[in-house]
Amino acid sequence: MARMSPSALRSAFVARYGRPAARAARAPGRVNLIGEHTDYNDGFVLPIAIEQSLWAVAAPRHDDALRVYSDALRDLQTWTLADGPHADAPRWTRYVHGVATLLRRRMPSLDGADLLITGDLPLGGGLSSSAALEGCTALVLCGLAGCELPLEELAAICRSAEHEFAGVPCGLMDQYASLLSRQGCALLLDCRSRRFEHVPCRLDQHALLVVDSGVRHELASGEYAARRRECGEALKLLRRACPRAAALRDVAPADVARCAADESLRRDAGAMRLLARARHVVTENERTLAAAAALRAEDWPELGRLMSASHASLRDDYQVSCAQLDALVERLERCPGVLGARMTGGGFGGCVVALVEVPHAQGLVAQLNCGGDPAAPRPVLRVVPAGGAERCAL
Ligand code: ADP
Ligand code: MG
């Protein structure tokens, strides 16, 4: 990977703004190993941060203006902290504006700035470029304001920016993974208590491959909202069995099974669909905790098995996969050395993550890169558990 060196960051900034940069920060993308659609149900997730990152390079201004250039989009946008971007400014400005606005409430000394956003993290490809954009912006602006906030607080601010300004009702996972991960570890996060544990993920004999399906479905955000709603309805249904459950986190697979066996519900297709949604969430929580235990024990076949079981559950019970993701997972699972594979991210397209034994990894990458169609190579990334966001020397 082409890491951005301090001199590359410095000269990119001078070339853009004609003056030296004062601060820089990096925030990584993430791949979720397991724990999908559990975060907004108060459950568990197990992502890793990856080396692919976004960098924010900045110099302070003595007025209220934010000038922000995105290298990836080749787009320069300017607005004032007081007024925000124009209503028809491109959508990406909302993430930056949201972070700056929420940070200014916390640290009134924050002034305007010139910002450059650069890096090697694919935009909108399911690797959480939005959280990386928020994270590097937040860290660099804190640096300019001379203010240190705990990373947990920054993660909460970034998530609020995504909710309130970008209009994406995401869970906590992406921002925690980008800001709080540790190199060589996966991040087991309890989305209820926000407690987390860095679980060693020693990939000496194994590789994690991320394969982009190339599919981006328009329906993803609508279906995401629908699943969140269905989880709320499923919880109401399950309160017959678990009256004190505050979230699906508090429900056990046996409770779902008991409800699903209820004669009065068995004939109600809508209720059975809601129970299937719940079954995914409650079994996925168990799988995520089991996956963390498998990582600690370096039981890679078990981790692979759990990843594949997660995919089947997302496909059949939660119904957020699609034909291309399913075909890719099936194809990977048939390849020698592959211990498990699953869709990662919200679904309806995006990426598949596969756990592969190292001797087979290179051949598999070559095979996937051609994909049977040399004209349309499939982007395959080999990822390793990287460290979370950090200030960078310039
Ligand atoms: P993901 O977070 O999985 O990559 P999202 O749809 O959540 O996908 O976020 C992608 C959006 O984040 C982009 O459409 C854009 O608005 C913003 N974004 C991400 N990376 C950049 C970047 N380098 N420059 C500008 N905007 C970016
Ligand atoms: Mg995102």
Side-chain angles (χ1 to χ4, degrees):
M1 184 202 48
R3 306 285 294 182
M4 303 293 294
S5 68
S7 72
L9 293 174
R10 275 199 315 267
S11 42
F13 192 89
V14 171
R16 170 61 35 199
Y17 291 111
R19 66 192 189 109
R23 301 273 174 180
R26 176 192 72 90
R30 63 96 188 93
V31 171
N32 191 20
L33 298 183
I34 196 162
E36 214 67 76
H37 289 280
T38 47
D39 56 356
Y40 53 83
N41 289 299
D42 273 4
F44 299 95
V45 294
L46 189 66
I48 59 166
I50 58 176
E51 288 187 323
Q52 289 74 12
S53 299
L54 292 182
W55 279 259
V57 194
R61 296 176 60 94
H62 300 294
D63 59 15
D64 192 32
L66 272 182
R67 276 200 295 176
V68 191
Y69 182 78
S70 162
D71 240 358
L73 298 171
R74 296 172 191 244
D75 189 16
L76 176 69
Q77 294 289 330
T78 304
W79 64 88
T80 63
L81 278 165
D83 296 336
H86 194 265
D88 42 311
R91 233 186 129 256
W92 70 269
T93 57
R94 297 188 203 171
Y95 297 90
V96 181
H97 170 53
V99 169
T101 304
L102 296 177
L103 276 180
R104 176 121 100 161
R105 282 185 203 154
R106 188 68 177 71
M107 17 187 237
S109 62
L110 182 67
D111 263 336
D114 289 341
L115 283 179
L116 168 70
I117 308 293
T118 186
D120 60 356
L121 183 63
L123 183 152
L127 300 175
S128 203
S129 62
S130 59
L133 175 60
E134 293 149 9
C136 66
T137 301
L139 265 189
V140 89
L141 292 180
C142 285
L144 289 183
C147 192
E148 293 260 355
L149 295 182
L151 291 173
E152 287 91 332
E153 188 176 347
L154 282 187
I157 285 172
C158 289
R159 184 207 194 194
S160 298
E162 188 141 350
H163 276 223
E164 294 166 29
F165 291 80
V168 182
C170 57
L172 257 187
M173 170 171 67
D174 295 353
Q175 290 77 14
Y176 263 72
S178 184
L179 286 162
L180 286 140
S181 289
R182 182 181 292 169
Q183 189 172 7
C185 295
L187 185 82
L188 176 62
L189 172 65
D190 178 337
C191 297
R192 170 173 279 168
S193 67
R194 302 192 181 185
R195 275 199 283 268
F196 56 86
E197 177 191 340
H198 293 116
V199 183
C201 178
R202 292 185 198 84
L203 285 174
D204 329 328
Q205 312 292 323
H206 297 84
L208 284 169
L209 301 185
V210 174
V211 191
D212 193 338
S213 70
V215 179
R216 305 281 181 271
H217 268 313
E218 284 298 316
L219 63 148
S221 62
E223 291 288 336
Y224 181 86
R227 291 301 176 282
R228 288 190 74 134
R229 211 172 38 244
E230 285 173 334
C231 285
E233 290 167 20
L235 181 63
K236 280 190 205 139
L237 206 56
L238 283 156
R239 287 225 176 90
R240 296 174 178 198
C242 325
R244 278 199 288 277
L248 287 179
R249 151 74 173 274
D250 305 310
V251 175
D255 300 323
V256 180
R258 212 166 340 114
C259 240
D262 186 316
E263 271 310 317
S264 64
L265 292 181
R266 282 169 70 98
R267 285 186 297 274
D268 180 346
M272 295 312 279
R273 192 182 64 239
L274 293 178
L275 291 174
R277 306 296 191 242
R279 185 163 54 232
H280 164 70
V281 174
V282 305
T283 58
E284 185 79 349
N285 276 330
E286 291 202 331
R287 280 188 292 273
T288 305
L289 293 174
L295 269 184
R296 285 185 211 105
E298 300 194 33
D299 185 346
W300 302 98
E302 172 67 358
L303 178 62
R305 193 191 63 73
L306 291 162
M307 288 168 69
S308 288
S310 166
H311 185 79
S313 174
L314 288 158
R315 179 192 61 209
D316 301 336
D317 279 342
Y318 218 61
Q319 297 183 308
V320 290
S321 189
C322 63
Q324 294 89 339
L325 286 171
D326 293 342
L328 202 48
V329 165
E330 269 173 42
R331 176 169 165 206
L332 282 162
E333 284 173 339
R334 281 198 305 271
C335 292
V338 173
L339 300 180
R342 60 183 288 276
M343 54 159 272
T344 179
F348 302 102
C351 297
V352 164
V353 58
L355 180 66
V356 189
E357 291 166 347
V358 159
H360 296 275
Q362 204 130 36
L364 186 56
V365 171
Q367 194 189 331
L368 286 164
N369 269 331
C370 289
D373 176 7
R378 243 183 230 299
V380 183
L381 285 180
R382 184 165 170 176
V383 296
V384 295
E390 61 191 351
R391 302 228 164 89
C392 306
L394 273 178

